[in-house]
Amino acid sequence: SSGINAEYGQEEKIFTEMVGFVEAARKFICHVVQLTYKNIEADFLMQLLGPMEDQSDFLRILAENKWDLNGDSVFVGHKEEMVEQKEIIEKMPIEVVTPILAIR
């Protein structure tokens, strides 16, 4: 074939020949999905993760991330659980604050 499909095939070969590239990209994608979604469609997640040998690769990725496949949807989890609450206290001298508060 020619055109876009031929170019994609060449690029895919380059990426798969780079040891660890596909795994690193998938790890990054999983991190972003974990931060962004609570549930995600399984088909969409598979598209994000790129071509896989078979369904067992997908199920392995789900298990590694402790995600649950529920029919056509993947339960990623509560993103609130991953957010650390931190109290931020900033001390600023009055000389710095006064010009900011001044009404002009």
Side-chain angles (χ1 to χ4, degrees):
S1 102
S2 63
I4 294 173
N5 290 334
E7 288 180 33
Y8 175 75
Q10 290 172 350
E11 289 175 4
E12 183 179 10
K13 183 179 178 185
I14 290 169
F15 294 136
T16 55
E17 288 178 355
M18 295 172 64
V19 177
F21 178 82
V22 173
E23 292 78 14
R26 286 187 176 149
K27 187 174 182 177
F28 176 76
I29 290 165
C30 288
H31 175 73
V32 172
V33 166
Q34 181 76 45
L35 293 175
T36 308
Y37 293 92
K38 184 174 180 179
N39 288 292
I40 185 171
E41 290 181 26
D43 289 340
F44 180 57
L45 180 57
M46 283 192 269
Q47 287 177 357
L48 291 174
L49 294 171
M52 292 182 236
E53 294 285 326
D54 55 30
Q55 183 77 5
S56 65
D57 285 345
F58 181 66
L59 296 175
R60 179 184 50 78
I61 291 170
L62 296 183
E64 287 172 358
N65 289 284
K66 298 178 181 147
W67 296 344
D68 298 318
L69 181 62
N70 300 321
D72 294 338
S73 178
V74 175
F75 177 72
V76 174
H78 302 285
K79 57 185 176 182
E80 296 85 17
E81 293 173 359
M82 298 190 64
V83 176
E84 291 182 26
Q85 293 186 0
K86 211 179 230 186
E87 185 176 338
I88 300 172
I89 299 173
E90 180 132 3
K91 297 180 181 180
M92 298 176 70
I94 192 71
E95 296 82 23
V96 173
V97 177
T98 304
I100 297 170
L101 297 176
I103 300 174
R104 297 185 188 241

